[in-house]
Amino acid sequence: MSAIKMPWKNTSSLRTGRSFDLGKMTLPQLWMAYLTYPTILLYFGLIVASALAALHFANGVWGVILPIPVVIAIYPLAWYMIHRFILHGRWLYRNPITATLWKRIHFDHHQDPHLLDVLFGSPANTVPTMALITMPVGYLISGWAGSFAALSTALVMTCIYEFFHCIQHLAYKPKWQWVAKIKQLHVLHHFHDENGNYGITNYVPDRIFGSFYREARDRIRSRHVFNLGYDLEEARRFPWVMKITGSPPRDKPAGARPERSTQTTPN
């Protein structure tokens, strides 16, 4: 009797250098990679820790519950502002001190959207940002109990956000219409015009601030969609990101690499 092949057993073939390549992964393989990824496991641990802290400081159930819908409401707007004005801003790469940060938090992702370990933000950046955005709001509602409840909510939302972000770069056609739609909108952001569709699961802020577009024909294709404006001319003026990368910025992403590249070092 032949052995039954389990899709999550052979994860070594998913590696390109040190990265999982979403362009070659199936949905079961993504689940396995996601649920065992160190950043996600850290988030899970922080969710439990912050929830327990909220319960420890709580004087009543409402002090823990009330911050949750408030964070759910403000969180998409906060991340929209960060995505649009910081991650897509051009001021970070123009300073040698912040160039490395900008490269890690967003430039690498647009240069090669299929790589899982640059899709996830570094916890050293994401966790303090979540805390700064949500904990003061929770504290104003119900003190430390609300503060930790707000952080726990933000961490849960981030885990959801990151999973659907993976789906949007996965070689997979979603059966759920809503997921297929948000994937289409995000693909436009990466491959047509980066100056719009900044949301991942929630595009309400895009609609409010005029950055939403539904189809490619609604806009002229951007020549900076893969390099975020950090083209060769900019790299010559502000060389720090290019020096770290070791090569000029690409005008298109590497995409899903062929199988034979899993044993070689990418250029």
Side-chain angles (χ1 to χ4, degrees), residues 19-90:
S19 302
F20 283 107
D21 189 339
L22 290 165
K24 296 186 298 185
M25 293 172 68
T26 64
L27 184 59
Q29 288 169 333
L30 171 60
W31 272 113
M32 186 61 183
Y34 177 85
L35 293 173
T36 59
Y37 202 84
T39 298
I40 299 302
L41 293 177
L42 174 62
Y43 290 161
F44 288 166
L46 291 174
I47 288 169
V48 173
S50 54
L52 291 175
L55 292 173
H56 173 75
F57 287 106
N59 293 319
V61 66
W62 290 109
V64 176
I65 292 177
L66 286 177
I68 296 175
V70 176
V71 171
I72 291 173
I74 67 172
Y75 197 72
L77 177 61
W79 279 108
Y80 173 88
M81 294 297 181
I82 291 171
H83 191 182
R84 180 172 183 176
F85 297 109
I86 297 178
L87 305 186
H88 280 257
R90 298 191 177 188

Side-chain angles (χ1 to χ4, degrees), residues 15-16 18-22 37-39 43 83 87 100-123 125-126 161-162 165-166 169 186 190 228 245 250 253-255 257:
R15 293 276 181 176
T16 301
R18 65 189 180 90
S19 302
F20 283 107
D21 189 339
L22 290 165
Y37 202 84
T39 298
Y43 290 161
H83 191 182
L87 305 186
T100 301
L101 174 65
W102 182 77
K103 175 186 179 296
R104 170 62 183 89
I105 61 177
H106 213 55
F107 177 71
D108 285 348
H109 178 51
H110 271 261
Q111 286 280 278
D112 196 341
H114 293 93
L115 298 188
L116 188 61
D117 59 357
V118 295
L119 182 150
F120 292 134
S122 168
N125 300 319
T126 58
Y161 170 103
E162 294 289 31
H165 196 185
C166 290
H169 292 286
H186 189 66
H190 271 276
L228 306 184
T245 303
R250 294 194 297 263
R257 296 182 173 87

